[in-house]
């Protein structure tokens, strides 16, 4: 019988059998062959009968509408030795299937059978083929992201082994073919992963795939490339050595030339192996010729994407009624420079002239449209006596004069759309460029361009062009500091560079030092008649009183942006009124809309807003009141998030009171979303609040937001803020605040594996809080107990945790007690008391479950999984750790996600599953890449090495163990001895 038809690229193809455009009825038939052969009507499964009956159905589905004769079907189901009643059996199977399916689906024809009239994507294989074909088109078109997504959709159609459980030679042949196609799709998708720089993430999957398909050289090649691009050159070379040895042992052959060539390129660190990048297409050069335009700047730099975008719009002017582009942005961002540059570039496309006017929209007296039209008409050759008086008549004459001409009009520095409308040409072939600080959403038909600051590379290039290559090359880092201090704002960069160019005795470092002082920065950014502060002053001077107050007070808050709810707290206004004010500031380009419901200042605009607050905000106490409301908002909301995550935890009852309310959430997922969305701004606010009167609330806000310490993304920032609060509390001689800040400091040191520092901080916290802050003291003892466990000081650890348990019980803090019980379980485990370790961990997990703790319940399951692993109950251990892993991922706890994967790898090793252990350990290393410290990384590398050794990747195992040994020796950790013992036999071999 025929196999599945194949395209020229080797991909299995199935002929078309669908009804294109047919509606997806809820009860339509669906079939699967990329797994068990199954059928559904809507969501209801249909009986497909015996294995032989399913074999017949599969053969018909894979024929996709073509008729299969009875002889072909008999051969497909039974091969060369069919039973004597094979023909009768085929007819019986066909009859049963016909009854189960819709009328007219299974038809009899010419002594055979066919499946016809299925709906679109009724067969999973057909859907997978369509997505694979679309993926190839997307890849050819350069859209790798879409291609990867489509290939993942195709691969998701597999549900285990194709045609699982279906007998017969035909099914077996198709299984082999479909599995080969799946691997080809996987290789294509992994290749695109590497093209897009996802090499670290690909290592884990490739490790598992090479273990499952050890002789597939393409997978080995991809693994070598992924490891090399992840900075793991030694492991990449070890993969080649393992592959060469395996091929020689199993097949008696050498690796194929491509694999050998890759090894050589890795050995010589070939730069072409570096992570690929997509080249940026240069915009087509448009010939330029100036007319009535201001001179363009000779050092115009960057803006390639905007130049290309505007070039396209201006090129489309011919054949359109009018092409209008409106450029908006803050003062000094380079709107006029870009518009003039573009007008010069486009001059050849507008041979009948270019008109220019400064509409003075940012000043107190904007230009009248009537006056502007008069000057335009004169420039177009109209006599003064022919120019009418009224605005309407001048506008009509202006449009009449432009009729049949191709003219470009540059309307610079416009106030609003009303000022611009009469000045727009209205005829085919003309175009207008408009610049304004206001985004002209009400200018009908305009192409809106929001101009942002320069990229760092563009900014440095502009600075270099003005200052000179030699001076900048000698102090590149200082030059980067200068353009960063300028906020990458073109006007500020031009002023700073011009000052430096005019002072030959200054170095770039001298200028950088002057700009480093934020309070003096705006004063430094002026040269001649150019001044950043004067540019901002024009916009500020046009604000209404309520807008000006909002501008001043919002500038006081640190952080990259601010949410609408936080801004409402700063302004002490309802959210709706706050949003209206902020949107008007966005319209004036003094504020930016970072995302829906979030706002941000440019760095220099923020400095100007703060200067305005110091100068204009009365009474001055309102500045402190605004920041106090913001801190209270974060404290109240973070405490609410903490309470949702940890029901019954007594910490929320021992936090400082917040006078301004926070947000209230109904479920923990929304609460978590808020915490992680606000993380950077919250930590910035806390760091800003180290003054007396703010300090205790700042410390408690940090404690309530402790989930951020374990998130990976925000862990380093959290640590820095904890240290700043600790130091501020010590200076203020506030033992209450210092103890709590030290607890957070100890916790982040514990997370990063700096155990000696963690012990010192926790001991000092216990000393300060014992008797004065009982709950804080309990957490200090708990931390000391955990660190003692890691440092193998088991007696001390047990004493500290026993003290913590007693303290938590006295405080009626059951979640705290559960935490200490789980930690004590690990002490018992380390000292050989396995039975009691399981019991203690179970008590902790049960306590968390009784109180409805999702996240902390996962920590309980993690501890229980460790104890069960040591007890030899590997199935239960894996189940508990998988449950914990799901919650950690859902809660975005990167540290615990990585540790759960590491512990699962340990379970896999204990259960003799080295390939799965390698996959879990690889993923753990990827997740722990930015969190957890060298000690945890070293332990994960040891387990990965054991797993790799178990699947025959001896070379890679040796590389992992050597790396872990280096980490442990640098830390002075006792685990180094264990690693030396692992390496010793390999050194002898």
């Amino acid at each position: 019988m025929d196999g599945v038809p194949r395209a020229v690229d080797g991909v299995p193809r199935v002929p078309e059998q669908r009804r294109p455009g047919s509606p997806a009825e809820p009860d339509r038939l669906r079939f699967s062959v990329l797994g068990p052969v199954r059928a559904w009507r809507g969501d209801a499964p249909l009986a497909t009968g015996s294995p032989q009956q399913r074999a017949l159905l599969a053969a018909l589905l894979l024929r996709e509408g073509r008729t299969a004769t009875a002889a072909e079907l008999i051969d497909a189901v039974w091969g060369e030795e069919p039973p004597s009643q094979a023909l009768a059996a085929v007819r019986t199977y066909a009859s049963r299937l016909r009854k189960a399916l819709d009328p007219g689906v299974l038809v009899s024809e010419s002594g055979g059978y066919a499946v016809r009239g299925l709906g679109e994507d009724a067969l999973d294989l057909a859907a997978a083929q369509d997505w694979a074909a679309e993926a190839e088109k997307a890849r050819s078109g350069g859209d790798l992201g879409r291609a990867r997504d489509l290939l993942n959709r195709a691969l998701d159609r597999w549900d285990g082994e194709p045609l699982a459980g279906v007998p017969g030679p035909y099914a077996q042949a198709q299984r082999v073919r479909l599995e080969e196609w799946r691997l080809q799709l996987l290789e294509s998708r992994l290749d695109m992963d590497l093209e897009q720089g996802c090499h670290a993430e690909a290592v884990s999957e490739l490790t598992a795939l090479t273990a499952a398909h050890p002789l597939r050289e393409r997978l080995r090649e991809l693994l070598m490339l992924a490891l090399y691009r992840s900075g793991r050159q030694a492991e990449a070379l070890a993969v080649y050595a393992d592959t060469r040895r395996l091929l020689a042992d199993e097949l008696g052959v050498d690796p194929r030339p491509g694999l050998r060539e890759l090894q050589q390129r890795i050995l010589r660190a070939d730069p072409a192996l570096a992570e690929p990048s997509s080249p940026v297409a240069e915009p087509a050069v448009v010939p330029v010729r100036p007319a009535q335009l201001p001179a363009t700047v000779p050092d115009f730099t960057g803006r390639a994407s905007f130049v290309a975008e505007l070039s396209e719009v201006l090129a489309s002017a011919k054949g359109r009624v009018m092409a209008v582009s409106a450029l908006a942005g803050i003062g000094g961002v380079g709107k006029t420079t870009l518009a003039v540059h573009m007008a010069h570039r486009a001059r050849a496309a507008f041979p009948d002239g270019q008109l220019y006017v400064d509409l003075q929209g940012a000043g107190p007296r904007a230009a009248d449209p009537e006056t502007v039209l008069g000057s335009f008409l004169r420039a177009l050759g109209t006599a003064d006596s022919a120019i009418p008086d009224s605005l309407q008549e001048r506008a009509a004459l202006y449009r009449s004069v432009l009729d049949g001409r191709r003219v470009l009009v540059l309307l610079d520095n416009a106030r609003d759309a009303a000022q611009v409308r009469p000045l727009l040409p209205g005829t085919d072939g003309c175009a207008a460029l408009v610049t304004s600080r206001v985004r002209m959403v009400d200018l009908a038909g305009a192409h809106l361009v929001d101009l942002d600051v320069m990229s760092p590379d563009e900014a440095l290039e502009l600075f270099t062009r003005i200052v000179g290559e030699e001076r900048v090359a000698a102090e590149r880092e200082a030059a980067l500091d200068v353009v960063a201090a300028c906020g990458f704002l073109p006007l500020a960069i031009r002023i700073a560079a011009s000052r430096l160019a005019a002072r030959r005795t200054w170095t770039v470092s001298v200028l950088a030092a002057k700009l480093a002082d934020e309070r003096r920065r705006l004063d430094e950014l002026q040269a001649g008649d150019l001044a950043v502060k004067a540019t901002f002053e024009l916009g500020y001077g046009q604000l209404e009183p309520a807008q000006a107050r909002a501008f001043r007070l919002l500038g006081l808050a640190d952080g990259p942006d601010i949410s609408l709810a936080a801004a409402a707290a700063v302004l002490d206004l309802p959210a709706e009124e706050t949003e209206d004010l902020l949107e008007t500031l966005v319209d004036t380009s003094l504020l930016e809309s970072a995302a829906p419901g979030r706002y941000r200042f440019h760095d220099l605009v923020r400095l100007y807003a703060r200067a305005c607050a110091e100068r204009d905000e009365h009474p001055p106490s309102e500045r402190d009141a605004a920041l106090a409301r913001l801190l209270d908002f974060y404290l109240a909301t973070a405490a609410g998030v903490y309470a949702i995550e940890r029901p019954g935890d007594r910490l929320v009852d021992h936090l400082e009171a917040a006078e301004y309310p926070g947000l209230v959430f109904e479920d923990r997922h929304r609460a978590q979303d808020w915490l992680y969305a606000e993380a950077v701004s919250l930590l910035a606010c806390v760091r800003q609040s180290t003054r007396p009167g703010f300090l205790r609330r700042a410390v408690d806000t940090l404690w309530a937001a402790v989930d951020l310490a374990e998130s990976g993304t925000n862990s380093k920032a959290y640590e820095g803020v904890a240290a700043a609060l600790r130091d501020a509390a010590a200076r203020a001689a506030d033992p209450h605040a210092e103890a709590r800040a030290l607890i957070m400091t100890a916790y982040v040191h514990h997370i990063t594996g700096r155990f000696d520092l963690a012990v010192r901080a926790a001991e000092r916290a216990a000393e300060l809080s014992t008797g004065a802050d009982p709950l804080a003291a309990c957490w200090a003892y708990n931390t000391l107990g955990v660190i003692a466990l890691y440092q193998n000081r088991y007696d001390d650890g047990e004493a500290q945790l026993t003290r913590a348990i007693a303290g938590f019980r006295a405080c009626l803090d059951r979640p705290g007690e559960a935490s200490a019980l789980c930690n004590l379980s690990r002490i018992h485990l380390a000292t050989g008391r396995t039975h009691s370790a399981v019991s203690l961990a179970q008590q902790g997990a049960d306590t968390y479950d009784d109180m409805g703790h999702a996240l902390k319940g996962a920590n309980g399951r993690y501890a229980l999984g460790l104890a069960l692993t040591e007890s030899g109950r590997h199935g239960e251990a894996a189940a508990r750790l998988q449950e914990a892993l799901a919650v950690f991922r859902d809660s975005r706890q990167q540290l615990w996600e990585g540790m759960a994967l590491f512990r699962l790898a340990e379970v896999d090793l204990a259960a003799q599953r080295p390939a799965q252990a390698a996959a879990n350990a690889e993923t753990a290393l990827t997740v722990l890449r930015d969190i957890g410290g060298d000690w945890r990384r070293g332990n994960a590398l040891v387990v990965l090495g054991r797993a790799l050794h178990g699947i025959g990747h001896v070379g890679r195992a040796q590389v992992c163990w050597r790396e872990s040994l280096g980490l442990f020796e640098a830390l002075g950790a006792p685990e180094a001895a264990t690693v030396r013992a692992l390496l010793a036999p390999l050194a002898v071999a």
Side-chain angles (χ1 to χ4, degrees):
M1 182 176 178
D2 292 340
V4 176
R6 301 176 65 82
V8 292
D9 58 3
V11 176
R13 297 304 302 168
V14 178
E16 183 62 48
Q17 72 163 352
R18 300 188 294 275
R19 298 191 300 267
S22 60
E25 300 89 0
D27 59 347
R28 69 186 180 94
L29 287 175
R30 293 184 294 115
F31 300 88
S32 72
V33 293
L34 299 178
V37 175
R38 290 173 291 187
W40 297 266
R41 179 176 287 107
D43 292 328
L46 301 178
T48 52
S50 66
Q52 288 77 18
Q53 184 170 308
R54 292 198 302 276
L56 184 140
L57 176 60
L60 293 175
L61 288 170
L62 291 174
R63 298 279 291 187
E64 276 239 4
R66 290 181 294 116
T67 301
T69 67
E72 289 175 323
L73 291 172
I74 290 171
D75 183 65
V77 177
W78 290 284
E80 296 179 357
E81 297 181 1
S84 59
Q85 300 298 315
L87 180 58
V90 165
R91 290 171 178 167
T92 300
Y93 297 153
S95 176
R96 290 172 180 171
L97 287 170
R98 187 180 290 114
K99 292 176 182 177
L101 305 178
D102 290 346
V105 171
L106 198 158
V107 298
S108 301
E109 187 176 79
S110 303
Y113 301 91
V115 170
R116 301 269 173 81
L118 296 184
E120 186 174 0
D121 292 335
L123 181 64
D124 57 357
L125 174 59
Q129 290 167 343
D130 290 344
W131 279 325
E134 287 297 317
E136 187 60 34
K137 292 178 184 176
R139 186 175 188 179
S140 300
D143 190 351
L144 290 183
R146 174 170 165 75
R148 288 173 67 203
D149 180 65
L150 289 166
L151 275 186
N152 279 324
R153 290 191 199 176
L155 288 164
D156 285 344
R157 283 295 187 147
W158 265 262
D159 186 20
E161 181 185 54
L163 306 173
V166 174
Y170 176 76
Q172 180 56 31
Q174 298 312 308
R175 263 193 293 273
V176 173
R177 180 174 293 176
L178 291 171
E179 176 59 17
E180 172 62 22
W181 184 46
R182 184 184 74 87
L183 288 172
Q184 290 174 5
L185 294 181
L186 267 173
E187 288 169 346
S188 295
R189 198 260 297 153
L190 285 161
D191 191 38
M192 285 186 276
D193 287 350
L194 299 188
E195 285 188 58
Q196 292 208 305
C198 301
H199 34 264
E201 294 80 358
V203 168
S204 173
E205 186 175 0
L206 282 164
T207 297
L209 285 169
T210 53
H213 306 278
L215 299 177
R216 198 170 182 94
E217 292 183 66
R218 176 56 178 156
L219 290 174
R220 298 269 182 162
E221 182 179 352
L222 290 170
L223 177 57
M224 288 174 65
L225 188 57
L227 286 166
Y228 178 77
R229 288 182 178 169
S230 300
R232 298 159 70 175
Q233 180 180 6
E235 285 188 65
L237 293 170
V239 170
Y240 179 82
D242 290 335
T243 304
R244 184 178 61 182
R245 183 171 54 253
L246 180 68
L247 291 173
D249 292 344
E250 295 289 330
L251 304 176
V253 298
D254 290 326
R256 60 187 178 84
L259 206 59
R260 295 199 300 270
E261 180 184 355
L262 178 59
Q263 182 226 16
Q264 292 299 313
R265 294 176 69 190
I266 290 174
L267 284 171
R268 62 176 184 267
D270 186 350
L273 285 181
E275 186 175 342
S277 58
S278 301
V280 178
E282 290 294 326
V285 177
V286 179
V288 297
R289 182 182 301 172
Q292 198 191 26
L293 301 170
T296 188
V297 294
D299 48 25
F300 182 86
T301 303
R303 306 299 199 188
S305 61
F306 292 110
V307 170
E309 182 180 346
L310 291 169
S311 295
E312 183 177 350
V313 174
L314 292 175
S316 68
K318 187 176 182 180
R320 293 177 57 184
V321 171
M322 178 178 55
V324 180
S325 291
L327 286 67
I330 62 172
V333 80
K335 302 180 294 296
T336 298
T337 300
L338 176 60
V340 170
H341 178 76
M342 289 308 307
H344 280 284
R345 282 175 62 100
R347 179 176 180 259
F350 301 96
D352 295 319
Q354 301 86 41
L355 300 173
Y356 170 85
V357 64
D358 178 359
L359 293 173
Q360 303 175 24
R365 296 181 62 84
D368 292 328
E370 296 98 316
T371 304
V372 175
L373 283 171
S375 67
F376 278 179
L377 286 168
R378 292 185 191 94
L380 291 167
T382 305
D384 284 348
S385 59
I387 298 175
D389 293 330
S390 73
L391 172 63
Q392 291 77 12
E393 289 176 318
R394 288 188 177 191
L397 178 60
Y398 171 65
R399 291 190 293 272
S400 298
V401 171
L402 290 177
D403 185 37
R405 299 190 186 187
R406 295 172 62 189
V407 173
L408 174 63
V409 182
L410 176 47
L411 306 173
D412 192 20
N413 194 14
R415 179 184 58 200
D416 52 30
Q419 185 189 28
V420 166
R421 288 190 192 99
L423 308 178
L424 296 176
T427 56
D428 177 16
C430 291
L433 283 172
V434 184
T435 74
S436 176
R437 299 189 184 198
V438 177
R439 196 165 189 268
M440 295 196 175
V441 294
D442 52 344
L443 190 61
H447 174 76
L448 303 181
V449 177
D450 293 320
L451 198 58
D452 203 352
V453 296
M454 287 181 150
S455 69
D457 288 343
E458 290 176 336
L460 185 62
E461 183 182 351
L462 174 60
F463 184 77
T464 303
R465 286 191 176 188
I466 299 171
V467 173
E469 179 70 37
E470 184 176 349
R471 294 176 76 182
V472 173
E475 297 181 275
R476 179 178 172 81
E477 291 301 318
L480 289 170
D481 291 340
V482 169
V483 297
C486 292
F488 309 110
L489 188 71
L491 175 62
I493 295 167
R494 185 173 295 281
I495 291 172
S498 299
R499 290 189 69 197
L500 184 60
R503 293 162 173 80
R504 303 303 301 177
T505 59
W506 281 17
T507 63
V508 182
S509 298
V510 168
L511 178 60
K514 288 178 174 292
L515 295 177
D517 183 355
E518 288 190 352
R519 298 184 65 84
R520 290 278 309 156
R521 188 176 297 168
L522 289 175
D523 293 328
E524 294 288 347
L525 290 174
Q526 53 185 349
D529 61 350
L530 294 177
V532 171
K533 185 187 294 186
T535 299
F536 297 156
E537 190 74 47
L538 288 171
Y540 177 68
Q542 295 187 25
L543 298 179
E544 298 293 332
Q547 295 173 321
R549 173 181 178 269
F551 176 74
R552 295 190 299 268
L553 293 184
L554 290 175
L556 297 172
D558 283 347
D561 62 5
I562 191 167
S563 67
L564 177 59
V570 172
L571 302 180
D572 197 17
L573 293 172
E576 295 81 1
E577 188 175 343
T578 300
E579 185 174 23
D580 290 343
L581 277 174
L582 268 56
E583 287 298 328
T584 61
L585 290 175
V586 170
D587 289 340
T588 64
S589 296
L590 287 172
L591 193 66
E592 300 173 24
S593 179
R598 301 198 72 84
Y599 301 88
R600 69 184 175 207
F601 282 108
H602 180 272
D603 291 346
L604 295 180
V605 177
R606 185 197 303 278
L607 293 179
Y608 176 72
R610 289 182 176 178
C612 291
E614 292 180 7
R615 182 189 67 194
D616 301 337
E617 196 61 44
H618 300 292
S621 60
E622 177 57 14
R623 300 199 295 270
D624 283 346
L627 291 175
R629 288 192 296 270
L630 180 61
L631 180 60
D632 280 351
F633 166 77
Y634 281 132
L635 172 57
T637 310
V641 174
Y642 188 97
I644 288 178
E645 287 279 13
R646 299 164 176 83
D649 195 307
R650 293 298 308 281
L651 176 65
V652 292
D653 300 323
H654 294 267
L655 298 175
E656 293 289 311
E659 296 181 7
Y660 192 91
L663 300 175
V664 178
F665 302 102
E666 297 298 326
D667 64 80
R668 74 181 189 90
H669 290 98
R670 291 188 179 181
Q672 287 173 347
D673 288 343
W674 177 87
L675 181 63
Y676 290 108
E678 287 292 320
V680 179
S681 297
L682 181 150
L683 292 173
C685 175
V686 170
R687 187 163 199 151
Q688 189 179 12
S689 304
T690 56
R691 291 171 290 163
F694 286 73
L695 182 57
R696 289 194 175 190
R697 283 178 291 165
V699 170
D700 283 356
T701 303
L702 189 69
W703 196 342
V706 68
D707 285 349
L708 298 178
E710 300 172 345
S711 65
T713 305
N714 306 293
S715 302
K716 290 183 180 178
Y718 190 97
E719 178 182 350
V721 175
L725 292 178
R726 175 201 62 202
D727 296 343
R731 289 193 302 270
D734 185 339
H736 176 90
E738 185 179 0
R740 292 188 167 210
L742 281 164
I743 289 170
M744 296 299 99
T745 304
Y747 189 59
V748 294
H749 286 326
H750 153 228
I751 288 172
T752 53
R754 291 170 287 177
F755 300 135
D756 290 339
L757 293 175
V759 168
R760 289 200 290 272
E763 286 177 343
R764 178 61 176 158
E767 177 186 340
L768 290 170
S769 58
T770 299
D773 190 352
L775 189 60
C778 292
W779 284 108
Y781 303 144
N782 196 35
T783 300
L784 285 168
V786 174
I787 303 304
L789 164 69
Y790 292 147
Q791 295 183 325
N792 301 336
R793 297 182 287 107
Y794 302 127
D795 291 341
D796 182 32
E798 186 160 357
Q800 295 288 1
L801 290 169
T802 301
R803 194 174 184 184
I805 291 169
F808 282 127
R809 286 173 178 167
C811 292
L812 303 179
D813 193 321
R814 293 187 65 204
E817 178 188 347
S819 174
L821 284 169
C822 290
N823 291 330
L824 184 59
S825 162
R826 298 180 63 184
I827 294 279
H828 281 226
L829 201 61
T831 52
R833 292 170 285 175
T834 307
H835 180 74
S836 59
V838 174
S839 177
L840 287 167
Q842 189 68 63
Q843 287 181 54
D846 289 345
T847 299
Y848 284 135
D849 289 345
D850 289 345
M851 305 196 74
H853 276 257
L855 176 56
K856 300 308 291 183
N859 288 116
R861 284 167 175 75
Y862 175 88
L864 184 56
L866 301 189
L868 291 169
T869 302
E870 202 65 29
S871 300
R873 295 154 67 178
H874 301 141
E876 295 176 72
R880 299 295 82 75
L881 288 169
Q882 287 286 2
E883 291 166 359
L885 176 62
V887 176
F888 292 145
R889 280 177 172 161
D890 185 54
S891 302
R892 286 168 278 192
Q893 292 296 295
Q894 186 177 338
L895 171 68
W896 290 109
E897 178 188 347
M899 291 306 297
L901 286 161
F902 163 64
R903 298 300 184 183
L904 280 167
E906 289 186 322
V907 175
D908 291 328
L909 278 180
Q912 303 299 313
R913 297 189 296 266
Q916 184 59 45
N920 278 326
E922 278 283 8
T923 308
L925 280 169
T926 299
V927 173
L928 293 172
R929 185 167 42 195
D930 300 318
I931 192 172
D934 288 344
W935 182 77
R936 290 183 176 85
R937 178 173 178 80
N939 280 303
L941 283 166
V942 171
V943 170
L944 176 58
R946 291 182 188 272
L948 291 170
H949 193 276
I951 59 176
H953 293 201
V954 180
R956 282 187 65 196
Q958 199 169 10
V959 171
C960 291
W961 288 335
R962 284 175 181 155
E963 183 180 347
S964 68
L965 180 61
L967 295 173
F968 288 142
E969 287 179 341
L971 294 170
E975 288 83 358
T978 302
V979 182
R980 290 191 194 97
L982 290 170
L983 285 167
L986 299 177
V988 173

